[in-house]
Amino acid sequence: YAEKYFDTSKLVALLDLHRSGKADVSRKIWTVYTFLVWYEQFFINEKYLIPYLNFVKENKNIFFAGQLSGVEGYIESSAIAILAAINAKYIHSNLAIFTLRASAQKYRDNIELAEFTINNSKDYILEEIYKKHPDVLCFSCYIWNIDYVESVAREFHKICPEVPIWLGGPEVSYEVESYLKEHDYIKGIVMGEGEITFREVCRHYEDGDISLENIDGIAMRKEDGSVFVAKPRGVMDMSEIPFCYDTMEDFSNRIIYYESSRGCPFSCS
């Protein structure tokens, strides 16, 4: 039944990608498999479903939960990346993660945002991120949250060591080689402006047709434990950055930020 709901050439490509070891797409393969089994069991083999439907009709106190009515956990958890932000206060929003998602183009729908505050307990943040089952976890790092981010990332790596953790932001964009050597639970760092770089990192994990070594603007830990630092990415034309606040109702009673320039206009150093 796969041909009815999926582009089977892409499914074959996913299987080949996973078999080659270039990327771990087991969660996506499992999602498709689960859907097809569920479809066959309840729509093709209707005779198996009839006794359950009759039982429900006869018992008016039975209500359907999410996993029976279509909001199925495996489908909800298919995001390729979680962009996480730990803000100073609830009323603040994190411009970086909204801009990165808006700039991700065709990968946008596979990216989920997760905003927290430094007033949330670390256990709560860990639990909420874990429930989303990310393939890749990314944190936006600033002076007010770096200690929190490092602590959460360290604990998450203990729980899900197979999930690569990436950092970005002004607090980690410099001295990247020494930082990665000191924090062995971090897979990589997006240095400086991240819109194009993050999109290419998504391409690596989603499509598998670009290696991390060929992405400018990153530093990352290789399989042998050594640190690779790519050449810096050139300065962006800010007119190419898409407007990221397309659903303003999500920011009711919160502060939003808009960037009109980047960097310092002076040349002191």
Side-chain angles (χ1 to χ4, degrees):
Y1 318 109
E3 298 86 355
K4 185 175 181 179
Y5 295 101
F6 300 99
D7 182 339
T8 53
S9 64
K10 291 185 177 180
L11 292 183
V12 172
L14 272 179
L15 290 169
D16 290 341
L17 181 64
H18 187 73
R19 192 181 297 113
S20 69
K22 293 180 179 178
D24 182 1
V25 291
S26 56
R27 196 185 311 279
K28 294 177 182 176
I29 295 171
W30 177 249
T31 298
V32 174
Y33 174 75
T34 303
F35 171 80
L36 293 174
V37 170
W38 175 80
Y39 178 79
E40 180 181 38
Q41 183 71 14
F42 292 105
F43 287 88
I44 303 301
N45 300 325
E46 293 182 359
K47 63 180 181 180
Y48 296 110
L49 184 60
I50 292 175
Y52 296 101
L53 292 177
N54 291 336
F55 178 77
V56 170
K57 289 179 181 178
E58 295 169 1
N59 294 270
K60 302 302 182 182
N61 293 324
I62 295 178
F63 301 91
F64 283 105
Q67 290 204 353
L68 292 177
S69 58
V71 187
E72 208 250 311
Y74 294 111
I75 305 301
E76 285 186 312
S77 303
S78 62
I80 179 179
I82 298 294
L83 282 169
I86 302 177
N87 302 325
K89 294 181 179 180
Y90 168 76
I91 60 171
H92 293 274
S93 60
N94 186 287
L95 176 62
I97 63 173
F98 285 94
T99 301
L100 290 176
R101 185 178 65 171
S103 301
Q105 296 180 356
K106 71 173 186 175
Y107 308 109
R108 173 178 175 144
D109 291 341
N110 286 334
I111 296 169
E112 188 171 344
L113 306 184
E115 285 192 282
F116 307 96
T117 79
I118 56 176
N119 296 315
N120 292 131
S121 71
K122 294 174 185 177
D123 287 343
Y124 170 77
I125 297 174
L126 274 172
E127 180 183 359
E128 291 301 304
I129 293 175
Y130 177 77
K131 287 192 297 186
K132 297 178 184 297
H133 302 295
D135 295 323
V136 184
L137 176 60
C138 310
F139 285 98
S140 175
C141 303
Y142 298 90
I143 191 170
W144 62 80
N145 73 3
I146 186 63
D147 290 340
Y148 228 68
V149 166
E150 289 176 351
S151 178
V152 171
R154 186 186 306 112
E155 295 305 311
F156 185 83
H157 179 72
K158 294 177 182 177
I159 301 169
C160 300
E162 75 283 359
V163 177
I165 300 174
W166 286 77
L167 306 182
E171 204 62 24
V172 293
S173 286
Y174 308 97
E175 300 180 354
V176 291
E177 186 170 0
S178 60
Y179 187 92
L180 287 173
K181 288 180 178 178
E182 294 169 6
H183 302 79
D184 60 1
Y185 50 90
I186 301 299
K187 172 63 178 178
I189 294 172
V190 173
M191 304 180 294
E193 294 179 298
E195 286 83 358
I196 298 175
T197 305
F198 176 70
R199 183 165 68 238
E200 292 189 355
V201 170
C202 289
R203 176 184 165 189
H204 165 76
Y205 287 111
E206 177 80 359
D207 298 334
D209 60 355
I210 184 172
S211 67
L212 291 174
E213 288 89 345
N214 290 329
I215 299 176
D216 292 343
I218 69 165
M220 62 97 178
R221 189 182 317 282
K222 299 174 72 173
E223 293 300 323
D224 62 4
S226 62
V227 173
F228 169 80
V229 181
K231 66 180 182 180
R233 187 173 291 279
V235 177
M236 284 191 65
D237 179 352
M238 289 192 65
S239 65
E240 297 177 359
I241 300 174
F243 186 69
C244 64
Y245 296 119
D246 53 354
T247 53
M248 294 299 291
E249 62 270 15
D250 295 337
F251 298 95
S252 177
N253 301 315
R254 299 183 68 195
I255 298 172
I256 64 171
Y257 299 87
Y258 185 78
E259 220 172 13
S260 59
S261 65
R262 283 180 175 174
C264 178
F266 305 104
S267 301
C268 303
S269 60

